[in-house]
Amino acid sequence: MRGKVVKLGDHVNTDFVISGKYKFKTQDIKELSKHIFEDLDPTLSQKITVGTIIVAGKNFGYGSSREHAPRVIKEVGVSAIVAKSFARIFFRNAINIGLPVIVASESFIDSTDEGDKVSLDLEKGIIRNETKNMEENFKPYPSFISVVMREGGIVSYFRKYGAFPWDTR
Amino acid sequence: MSGTIAEKILAKASRKKYVEPGDFIVADVDVVFAHDGTATLAFDVMKELNEEKVFDSKKVVLFIDHAAPSPSPAISAIHNRMRDFSKLHNVKLYDVGNGICHQLLPSEGYVKPGSLVIGADSHTVTHGAFNAFATGVGSTDAAIAMMTGKIWLKVPESIKLELNGNLSEGVTSKDLVLFLIGNFKADGFNYVAIEYSGSTIEKLSVDSRMTIANMGVEMGAKASLMPLNENTRVWLSKRVQGPITPVEPDKDATYYKTYSFDVKSIEPMVAAPPNVDNVKPVTELEGLEIDQVFIGSCTNGRLEDIELALRILKGRKVKSRCIVIPASKEVYYEALKKGYIEELLRSNCVVGPPTCGPCIGAHMGLLGPNEVGISTTNRNFPGRMGDRDAKIFLASPLTAAASAVEGKITDPRNYLKEVS
């Protein structure tokens, strides 16, 4: 997995991902994704292309439990989010829908700039900033999350195996 | 092997003798619910799983509360999908006008000490006030729980928050929890289960305990658990079926950390924009002009909150718009019987039907560009309650009421002194 970085700050909350103006107007992910990050920075959506890796500060995704937040981020083509920390519901939701969420060190994130090329190896737990020529390890997911992620989320896993990961353990 | 309240509930739910922090478990849920902001996405997920059926129609509950009654045809369509699902699967649906999920779930008897409560809403942690492990999830988790009755969970570390002493005059449970959020910050308890203890929590009313548990998620907590107290036991005994068996922590349970506070010195607090952890004493913000006051939500829309507001509003007129929304029909009805609704109307407040309404920016009083609102709700992110350039201050019903009377942020103690 390799992509160009869009850099965000600390505490990017779920209302920033989808503004209050839209979140109760429709449940359609494609429609909602047109307004992604609008209240944070109206120009942000133009910078995101297929493969973009979001690199953010601490507590990414805090706030609502609404899964629409990670879903619209996946919908616009973001391939992974790397942050100093995540809010727990967002983290769970991202795993369930197969959107990689990685915790990296403060120094790695602070030294990474917008537009840098970053690559990720989820299985080995390696993140590399190719532009800055720096690399670090992160703790790979526990095995049962790892298989969910490999299959692109828990729904895809279930459709392939006809069972949830815990059913087969 | 000893356990905290969270560990003991999760061990039982996963049919184990004990669990430890970091364990991945698959647990049986006692109740799973969703509302009009999250339910239809869960239905979509169930369809994708080719399993559009529920594991137990008595343990799945739906609420139309976020935008109720519907403010648009698109939302009406969402509501109708929920009604259809409810009929098809014989699942209880609390339709328009009944109230907010976090108020109804316990008041309708779905929550007991020791329950594992899963809700497709972040404020599900509210039910920790009833000695239950309650946590918010997204629609995929909710769909799987509705379909199988199971959820995967990582057992969280527990931290102990000991609160002792009595709150001062003019200071409420909302001020206490805002104080904690200001102290520990928005990510201070990320992934952990907060376990409250101490004389303050022991003495508090059910309404106040719910306010504190509710905002645990504003510190990142996975659950905010309280030991059962007498007030809560009495309250539940009228509502739940079967015996009430409290879950106590073991004496030698392990806490990741323990914090102690004497609550006596806490002042009325306000969370200033743009984040919930930007908490200041009201004295630092006094005099700031406001356009609108909102008293309501799953945080502060209960009878006690209306009573608190009326301590100041009664016999006075508001200077700014003041919207009051009871959290449920039961609260509304009680307020009506006690004459509170009439008092609110005499003060020129607007009283709305039970709904989340303006708290989540759905309808019934959204802030315009550059407007300033003070609200008893739980989040003040830009755009949360209307325009992104509106400013939202979070406070107690007392502070909200005093501010409504003055048309600017006001220390409620100025008003309470006169009567005491």
Side-chain angles (χ1 to χ4, degrees), chain A residues 63-139:
Chain A
S64 159
S65 71
R66 298 178 84 240
E67 206 170 288
H68 308 66
R71 281 180 185 249
V72 296
I73 293 175
K74 197 181 177 190
E75 176 68 28
V76 297
V78 170
S79 62
I81 306 171
V82 181
K84 292 177 186 172
S85 64
F86 290 88
R88 64 158 283 274
I89 303 177
F90 184 92
F91 191 79
R92 247 190 112 88
N93 287 344
I95 287 168
N96 280 337
I97 64 157
L99 172 66
V101 275
I102 304 297
V103 176
S105 72
E106 297 225 349
S107 62
F108 187 93
I109 285 170
D110 291 341
S111 320
T112 296
D113 293 310
E114 183 135 323
D116 286 0
K117 281 223 167 59
V118 163
S119 63
L120 282 165
D121 186 329
L122 295 181
E123 309 274 323
K124 291 192 184 127
I126 302 167
I127 180 167
R128 193 174 153 70
N129 183 328
E130 295 173 1
T131 312
K132 300 275 162 59
N133 202 18
M134 38 176 206
E135 185 178 290
E136 74 174 27
N137 296 312
F138 58 87
K139 205 174 154 194

Coordinates of all heavy atoms in Angstrom, one line a residue, chain A residues 63-139:
Chain A
G63 N -16.0 11.5 18.7 CA -17.4 11.9 18.6 C -18.3 10.8 18.3 O -18.3 9.8 19.1
S64 N -19.1 11.0 17.3 CA -20.2 10.1 17.0 C -19.8 8.7 16.7 O -18.7 8.4 16.3 CB -21.0 10.7 15.9 OG -21.8 9.7 15.2
S65 N -20.8 7.7 16.9 CA -20.5 6.3 16.5 C -20.9 6.1 15.1 O -20.7 4.9 14.6 CB -21.4 5.4 17.4 OG -22.7 5.6 17.0
R66 N -21.3 7.1 14.4 CA -21.9 6.8 13.1 C -20.8 6.4 12.1 O -19.8 7.0 11.9 CB -22.6 8.1 12.6 CG -23.8 8.5 13.5 CD -24.5 9.7 13.0 NE -25.4 9.4 12.0 CZ -25.4 9.9 10.8 NH1 -24.5 10.8 10.4 NH2 -26.3 9.6 9.9
E67 N -21.1 5.2 11.6 CA -20.1 4.5 10.7 C -20.0 5.3 9.4 O -19.1 5.0 8.6 CB -20.6 3.1 10.5 CG -19.6 2.1 10.1 CD -20.2 0.7 10.2 OE1 -20.5 0.2 11.3 OE2 -20.4 0.1 9.1
H68 N -20.9 6.2 9.1 CA -20.8 7.0 7.9 C -19.4 7.7 7.8 O -18.9 7.9 6.7 CB -21.9 8.0 7.9 CG -23.3 7.4 8.1 ND1 -23.7 6.9 9.3 CD2 -24.3 7.3 7.3 CE1 -24.9 6.4 9.2 NE2 -25.3 6.7 8.0
A69 N -18.8 8.0 9.0 CA -17.6 8.8 8.9 C -16.5 7.9 8.3 O -15.9 8.4 7.2 CB -17.2 9.2 10.4
P70 N -16.1 6.7 8.8 CA -15.1 6.0 8.1 C -15.5 5.6 6.7 O -14.7 5.5 5.8 CB -14.8 4.7 8.9 CG -16.0 4.7 9.8 CD -16.5 6.1 10.0
R71 N -16.8 5.3 6.5 CA -17.3 4.9 5.2 C -17.1 6.0 4.1 O -16.7 5.7 3.0 CB -18.8 4.5 5.2 CG -18.9 3.1 5.8 CD -20.4 2.7 5.8 NE -20.6 1.4 6.4 CZ -21.0 0.3 5.8 NH1 -21.2 0.3 4.5 NH2 -21.1 -0.8 6.5
V72 N -17.4 7.2 4.4 CA -17.1 8.3 3.4 C -15.6 8.5 3.1 O -15.2 8.7 2.0 CB -17.8 9.6 3.7 CG1 -19.3 9.5 3.8 CG2 -17.3 10.3 5.0
I73 N -14.8 8.3 4.2 CA -13.4 8.4 4.0 C -12.9 7.3 3.0 O -12.1 7.5 2.1 CB -12.6 8.3 5.3 CG1 -13.0 9.6 6.2 CG2 -11.1 8.2 5.1 CD1 -12.4 9.6 7.6
K74 N -13.4 6.1 3.2 CA -13.1 5.0 2.3 C -13.7 5.2 0.9 O -13.0 5.0 -0.1 CB -13.6 3.7 2.8 CG -13.0 2.4 2.2 CD -13.6 1.2 2.8 CE -12.9 0.0 2.1 NZ -13.6 -1.3 2.4
E75 N -14.9 5.8 0.9 CA -15.6 6.0 -0.4 C -14.8 7.0 -1.3 O -14.7 6.8 -2.5 CB -17.0 6.6 -0.1 CG -17.8 7.0 -1.3 CD -18.2 5.8 -2.2 OE1 -18.4 4.7 -1.7 OE2 -18.4 6.0 -3.4
V76 N -14.1 8.0 -0.8 CA -13.4 9.0 -1.6 C -12.0 8.4 -2.0 O -11.3 9.1 -2.7 CB -13.3 10.4 -0.9 CG1 -14.7 11.0 -0.8 CG2 -12.5 10.3 0.4
G77 N -11.7 7.2 -1.6 CA -10.5 6.6 -2.1 C -9.3 6.6 -1.1 O -8.2 6.1 -1.5
V78 N -9.5 7.1 0.1 CA -8.4 7.1 1.1 C -8.0 5.6 1.4 O -8.9 4.8 1.6 CB -8.8 7.8 2.4 CG1 -7.8 7.5 3.5 CG2 -9.0 9.3 2.2
S79 N -6.7 5.3 1.3 CA -6.3 3.8 1.4 C -6.0 3.5 2.9 O -6.0 2.3 3.2 CB -5.2 3.5 0.5 OG -4.1 4.3 0.8
A80 N -5.6 4.5 3.7 CA -5.3 4.2 5.1 C -5.2 5.5 5.9 O -5.1 6.6 5.3 CB -3.9 3.5 5.2
I81 N -5.4 5.4 7.2 CA -5.3 6.6 8.0 C -4.2 6.2 9.0 O -4.2 5.2 9.7 CB -6.5 7.0 8.8 CG1 -7.7 7.2 7.8 CG2 -6.3 8.3 9.6 CD1 -9.1 7.3 8.5
V82 N -3.2 7.1 9.1 CA -2.1 6.9 10.1 C -2.2 8.1 11.1 O -2.3 9.3 10.7 CB -0.7 7.0 9.4 CG1 0.4 6.8 10.4 CG2 -0.6 6.0 8.3
A83 N -2.3 7.8 12.4 CA -2.5 8.9 13.3 C -1.7 8.6 14.6 O -1.3 7.5 14.8 CB -4.0 9.1 13.6
K84 N -1.6 9.6 15.4 CA -0.9 9.4 16.7 C -1.8 8.6 17.7 O -1.3 7.8 18.5 CB -0.7 10.8 17.4 CG 0.4 11.6 16.7 CD 0.6 13.0 17.3 CE 1.5 13.8 16.4 NZ 1.6 15.2 16.9
S85 N -3.1 8.8 17.6 CA -4.1 7.9 18.3 C -5.4 8.1 17.6 O -5.7 9.0 16.9 CB -4.1 8.2 19.8 OG -4.7 9.5 19.9
F86 N -6.3 7.1 17.9 CA -7.7 7.1 17.4 C -8.7 7.0 18.5 O -8.4 6.4 19.5 CB -7.9 5.9 16.5 CG -7.2 5.9 15.2 CD1 -5.9 5.4 15.1 CD2 -7.7 6.5 14.0 CE1 -5.2 5.4 13.9 CE2 -7.0 6.5 12.8 CZ -5.7 6.0 12.8
A87 N -9.9 7.6 18.2 CA -11.0 7.4 19.2 C -11.5 6.0 18.9 O -11.5 5.5 17.8 CB -12.1 8.4 18.9
R88 N -11.9 5.3 20.0 CA -12.1 3.9 19.9 C -13.2 3.4 18.9 O -13.1 2.5 18.2 CB -12.3 3.2 21.3 CG -13.5 3.6 22.0 CD -13.9 2.5 23.1 NE -14.6 1.4 22.4 CZ -15.9 1.4 22.2 NH1 -16.7 2.4 22.5 NH2 -16.4 0.3 21.6
I89 N -14.4 4.1 18.9 CA -15.5 3.7 18.1 C -15.1 3.8 16.6 O -15.3 2.9 15.8 CB -16.8 4.4 18.4 CG1 -17.2 4.3 19.8 CG2 -17.9 3.9 17.5 CD1 -18.4 5.1 20.2
F90 N -14.4 4.9 16.3 CA -14.0 5.1 14.9 C -13.0 4.0 14.5 O -13.1 3.5 13.4 CB -13.3 6.5 14.7 CG -12.9 6.8 13.3 CD1 -13.7 7.5 12.5 CD2 -11.7 6.3 12.8 CE1 -13.4 7.7 11.2 CE2 -11.3 6.6 11.5 CZ -12.2 7.3 10.7
F91 N -12.1 3.7 15.4 CA -11.1 2.6 15.1 C -11.8 1.3 14.8 O -11.4 0.6 13.8 CB -10.2 2.5 16.4 CG -8.9 1.7 16.2 CD1 -7.8 2.2 15.5 CD2 -8.9 0.4 16.6 CE1 -6.7 1.4 15.3 CE2 -7.8 -0.4 16.4 CZ -6.7 0.1 15.8
R92 N -12.7 0.9 15.7 CA -13.5 -0.3 15.5 C -14.2 -0.3 14.1 O -14.2 -1.3 13.4 CB -14.6 -0.3 16.6 CG -14.5 -1.4 17.6 CD -15.7 -1.4 18.4 NE -16.4 -2.6 18.1 CZ -16.2 -3.8 18.7 NH1 -15.4 -3.8 19.7 NH2 -16.9 -4.9 18.4
N93 N -14.9 0.8 13.9 CA -15.7 0.9 12.7 C -14.8 0.8 11.4 O -15.2 0.2 10.5 CB -16.4 2.3 12.6 CG -17.6 2.3 13.6 OD1 -18.1 1.3 14.1 ND2 -18.1 3.5 13.9
A94 N -13.6 1.4 11.5 CA -12.7 1.4 10.3 C -12.3 0.0 10.1 O -12.2 -0.5 8.9 CB -11.5 2.3 10.6
I95 N -11.9 -0.8 11.1 CA -11.5 -2.2 11.0 C -12.7 -3.0 10.4 O -12.5 -3.7 9.5 CB -11.1 -2.8 12.4 CG1 -9.8 -2.2 12.7 CG2 -11.1 -4.3 12.3 CD1 -9.4 -2.4 14.2
N96 N -13.9 -2.8 10.9 CA -15.0 -3.5 10.4 C -15.3 -3.3 9.0 O -15.8 -4.2 8.3 CB -16.3 -3.2 11.2 CG -16.3 -3.9 12.6 OD1 -15.7 -5.0 12.8 ND2 -17.1 -3.4 13.5
I97 N -15.0 -2.1 8.5 CA -15.3 -1.9 7.0 C -14.0 -2.0 6.2 O -14.0 -1.8 5.0 CB -15.9 -0.5 6.8 CG1 -14.9 0.6 7.2 CG2 -17.2 -0.3 7.5 CD1 -15.2 2.0 6.5
G98 N -12.9 -2.5 6.8 CA -11.7 -2.7 6.1 C -10.9 -1.5 5.6 O -10.3 -1.5 4.6
L99 N -11.0 -0.4 6.4 CA -10.2 0.8 6.2 C -9.0 0.7 7.2 O -9.2 0.9 8.4 CB -11.0 2.0 6.4 CG -10.3 3.4 6.4 CD1 -9.7 3.7 5.0 CD2 -11.2 4.5 6.9
P100 N -7.7 0.5 6.7 CA -6.6 0.4 7.6 C -6.4 1.7 8.4 O -6.4 2.8 7.9 CB -5.4 0.1 6.7 CG -6.0 -0.4 5.4 CD -7.3 0.3 5.3
V101 N -6.3 1.5 9.7 CA -6.0 2.6 10.7 C -4.8 2.2 11.5 O -4.7 1.1 12.1 CB -7.2 2.8 11.6 CG1 -8.2 3.7 11.0 CG2 -7.9 1.5 12.0
I102 N -3.7 3.0 11.4 CA -2.4 2.6 12.0 C -2.0 3.7 12.9 O -2.1 4.9 12.7 CB -1.4 2.6 10.8 CG1 -1.8 1.6 9.7 CG2 0.0 2.3 11.4 CD1 -1.9 0.2 10.1
V103 N -1.5 3.3 14.1 CA -0.9 4.3 15.0 C 0.6 4.3 14.8 O 1.3 3.3 14.8 CB -1.2 3.8 16.5 CG1 -0.6 4.8 17.5 CG2 -2.7 3.8 16.7
A104 N 1.1 5.6 14.5 CA 2.5 5.8 14.4 C 3.0 6.7 15.5 O 2.2 7.4 16.1 CB 2.8 6.3 13.0
S105 N 4.3 6.8 15.6 CA 4.9 7.6 16.6 C 4.7 9.1 16.4 O 4.5 9.5 15.2 CB 6.4 7.4 16.8 OG 7.1 7.9 15.7
E106 N 4.7 9.9 17.4 CA 4.6 11.4 17.3 C 5.7 11.9 16.3 O 5.4 12.8 15.5 CB 4.8 12.1 18.6 CG 3.7 11.6 19.6 CD 3.2 12.8 20.4 OE1 3.7 13.9 20.3 OE2 2.1 12.6 21.1
S107 N 6.9 11.4 16.5 CA 8.0 12.0 15.7 C 7.8 11.7 14.2 O 8.1 12.5 13.3 CB 9.4 11.5 16.2 OG 9.4 10.1 16.1
F108 N 7.4 10.4 13.9 CA 7.1 10.1 12.5 C 6.1 11.0 11.9 O 6.2 11.5 10.8 CB 6.7 8.6 12.4 CG 6.6 8.1 11.0 CD1 7.7 7.5 10.4 CD2 5.4 8.3 10.3 CE1 7.6 7.0 9.1 CE2 5.3 7.8 9.0 CZ 6.4 7.2 8.4
I109 N 5.0 11.2 12.7 CA 3.9 12.0 12.1 C 4.3 13.5 12.0 O 4.0 14.1 11.0 CB 2.6 11.8 13.0 CG1 2.1 10.4 12.6 CG2 1.6 12.9 12.8 CD1 1.0 9.8 13.5
D110 N 5.0 14.0 13.0 CA 5.4 15.4 13.0 C 6.4 15.6 11.8 O 6.4 16.7 11.3 CB 6.0 15.8 14.3 CG 4.9 15.8 15.4 OD1 3.7 15.9 15.1 OD2 5.3 15.8 16.6
S111 N 7.2 14.6 11.5 CA 8.2 14.8 10.4 C 7.6 14.6 9.0 O 8.3 14.8 8.0 CB 9.4 13.9 10.6 OG 9.7 13.8 11.9
T112 N 6.4 14.1 9.0 CA 5.7 13.8 7.7 C 4.9 15.0 7.2 O 4.2 15.6 8.0 CB 4.8 12.6 7.8 OG1 5.6 11.4 8.1 CG2 4.1 12.3 6.5
D113 N 5.2 15.4 6.0 CA 4.5 16.6 5.4 C 3.5 16.2 4.4 O 3.6 15.1 3.8 CB 5.5 17.5 4.8 CG 6.4 18.1 5.9 OD1 5.9 18.6 6.9 OD2 7.6 18.1 5.7
E114 N 2.6 17.1 4.1 CA 1.6 16.9 3.1 C 2.3 16.7 1.7 O 3.3 17.3 1.4 CB 0.7 18.2 3.0 CG -0.4 18.0 2.0 CD -1.7 18.5 2.5 OE1 -2.0 18.3 3.7 OE2 -2.5 19.0 1.7
G115 N 1.8 15.7 1.0 CA 2.4 15.4 -0.3 C 3.5 14.4 -0.3 O 3.9 13.9 -1.3
D116 N 4.0 14.0 0.9 CA 5.0 13.0 1.0 C 4.5 11.7 0.5 O 3.3 11.5 0.6 CB 5.5 12.8 2.5 CG 6.4 13.9 3.0 OD1 6.7 14.8 2.2 OD2 6.8 13.9 4.2
K117 N 5.4 10.8 0.0 CA 4.9 9.5 -0.4 C 5.2 8.5 0.8 O 6.3 8.4 1.3 CB 5.7 9.0 -1.6 CG 5.2 9.6 -2.9 CD 5.2 8.5 -4.0 CE 4.4 9.0 -5.2 NZ 4.9 10.3 -5.8
V118 N 4.1 7.8 1.2 CA 4.2 6.9 2.3 C 3.8 5.5 1.9 O 2.9 5.4 1.1 CB 3.4 7.4 3.5 CG1 3.1 6.3 4.5 CG2 4.0 8.6 4.2
S119 N 4.5 4.5 2.3 CA 4.1 3.1 2.1 C 3.9 2.4 3.4 O 4.5 2.7 4.4 CB 5.1 2.4 1.2 OG 6.3 2.3 1.8
L120 N 3.0 1.4 3.3 CA 2.6 0.6 4.5 C 2.6 -0.8 4.2 O 2.1 -1.3 3.2 CB 1.1 1.0 4.9 CG 0.9 2.3 5.6 CD1 -0.6 2.6 5.5 CD2 1.3 2.2 7.1
D121 N 3.2 -1.6 5.2 CA 3.1 -3.1 5.1 C 2.3 -3.5 6.4 O 2.9 -3.5 7.5 CB 4.5 -3.7 5.0 CG 4.4 -5.2 4.8 OD1 3.4 -5.8 5.3 OD2 5.3 -5.8 4.1
L122 N 1.0 -3.8 6.2 CA 0.2 -4.1 7.4 C 0.6 -5.4 8.0 O 0.5 -5.5 9.2 CB -1.3 -4.2 7.0 CG -2.0 -2.9 6.4 CD1 -3.4 -3.2 6.1 CD2 -1.9 -1.8 7.4
E123 N 1.0 -6.4 7.2 CA 1.3 -7.7 7.8 C 2.6 -7.7 8.6 O 2.7 -8.2 9.7 CB 1.5 -8.7 6.6 CG 0.3 -8.7 5.7 CD -0.9 -9.6 6.1 OE1 -0.6 -10.7 6.7 OE2 -2.0 -9.2 5.9
K124 N 3.6 -7.0 8.1 CA 4.9 -6.9 8.8 C 4.9 -5.8 9.8 O 5.8 -5.8 10.7 CB 6.0 -6.7 7.7 CG 6.2 -7.9 6.9 CD 7.5 -7.8 6.1 CE 7.7 -9.0 5.1 NZ 8.0 -8.5 3.8
G125 N 4.0 -4.8 9.7 CA 4.0 -3.7 10.6 C 5.1 -2.7 10.3 O 5.8 -2.3 11.2
I126 N 5.2 -2.3 9.0 CA 6.3 -1.3 8.7 C 5.6 -0.1 8.0 O 4.8 -0.3 7.1 CB 7.3 -1.9 7.7 CG1 8.0 -3.1 8.4 CG2 8.4 -0.9 7.4 CD1 8.8 -4.0 7.4
I127 N 6.0 1.1 8.4 CA 5.5 2.3 7.7 C 6.8 3.0 7.3 O 7.7 3.2 8.0 CB 4.6 3.2 8.6 CG1 4.2 4.4 7.8 CG2 5.2 3.5 9.9 CD1 3.0 5.2 8.5
R128 N 6.7 3.5 6.0 CA 7.9 4.1 5.5 C 7.5 5.4 4.8 O 6.6 5.5 4.0 CB 8.5 3.1 4.4 CG 9.9 3.5 4.0 CD 10.5 2.4 3.1 NE 11.4 3.1 2.2 CZ 12.5 3.6 2.6 NH1 12.9 3.4 3.9 NH2 13.3 4.3 1.8
N129 N 8.2 6.5 5.1 CA 8.0 7.8 4.4 C 9.1 7.8 3.4 O 10.3 8.0 3.7 CB 8.1 8.9 5.4 CG 7.9 10.3 4.7 OD1 8.2 10.4 3.5 ND2 7.3 11.2 5.4
E130 N 8.8 7.5 2.1 CA 9.8 7.4 1.0 C 10.4 8.8 0.7 O 11.6 8.9 0.4 CB 9.1 6.8 -0.2 CG 8.7 5.4 0.0 CD 7.9 4.8 -1.1 OE1 7.7 5.4 -2.1 OE2 7.5 3.6 -0.9
T131 N 9.6 9.8 0.8 CA 10.1 11.2 0.5 C 11.2 11.6 1.5 O 12.2 12.2 1.2 CB 8.9 12.2 0.6 OG1 7.8 11.7 -0.2 CG2 9.3 13.6 0.1
K132 N 10.9 11.3 2.8 CA 11.9 11.7 3.9 C 12.9 10.6 4.2 O 13.7 10.8 5.1 CB 11.1 12.1 5.1 CG 10.1 13.3 4.9 CD 10.8 14.6 5.1 CE 10.0 15.7 4.5 NZ 8.6 15.9 5.0
N133 N 12.7 9.5 3.6 CA 13.6 8.3 3.8 C 13.6 8.0 5.3 O 14.7 7.8 5.9 CB 15.0 8.6 3.3 CG 15.8 7.4 3.0 OD1 15.2 6.3 2.9 ND2 17.1 7.5 3.0
M134 N 12.4 7.8 5.9 CA 12.4 7.3 7.3 C 11.4 6.2 7.4 O 10.5 6.1 6.6 CB 12.0 8.4 8.3 CG 11.0 9.4 7.8 SD 10.6 10.6 9.1 CE 9.0 11.0 8.6
E135 N 11.7 5.3 8.4 CA 10.9 4.1 8.5 C 10.7 3.8 9.9 O 11.6 4.0 10.7 CB 11.7 3.0 7.8 CG 10.9 1.7 7.7 CD 11.7 0.6 6.9 OE1 11.9 0.8 5.7 OE2 12.2 -0.3 7.6
E136 N 9.6 3.2 10.3 CA 9.4 2.7 11.6 C 8.5 1.5 11.7 O 7.7 1.3 10.7 CB 9.0 3.8 12.6 CG 7.6 4.2 12.5 CD 7.2 5.2 13.7 OE1 8.0 5.9 14.2 OE2 6.0 5.2 14.0
N137 N 8.5 0.8 12.8 CA 7.6 -0.4 12.9 C 6.4 0.0 13.8 O 6.5 0.8 14.6 CB 8.4 -1.5 13.6 CG 9.5 -2.0 12.7 OD1 9.4 -2.2 11.5 ND2 10.7 -2.1 13.3
F138 N 5.3 -0.7 13.5 CA 4.2 -0.6 14.4 C 3.7 -2.0 14.7 O 4.1 -2.9 13.9 CB 3.1 0.3 13.7 CG 2.6 -0.2 12.4 CD1 1.5 -1.2 12.4 CD2 3.1 0.3 11.2 CE1 1.1 -1.6 11.1 CE2 2.6 -0.2 10.0 CZ 1.6 -1.1 9.9
K139 N 3.0 -2.1 15.7 CA 2.5 -3.4 16.2 C 1.5 -3.9 15.2 O 0.4 -3.3 15.0 CB 1.9 -3.3 17.6 CG 2.0 -4.6 18.3 CD 1.5 -4.4 19.8 CE 1.0 -5.7 20.3 NZ 0.2 -5.4 21.6

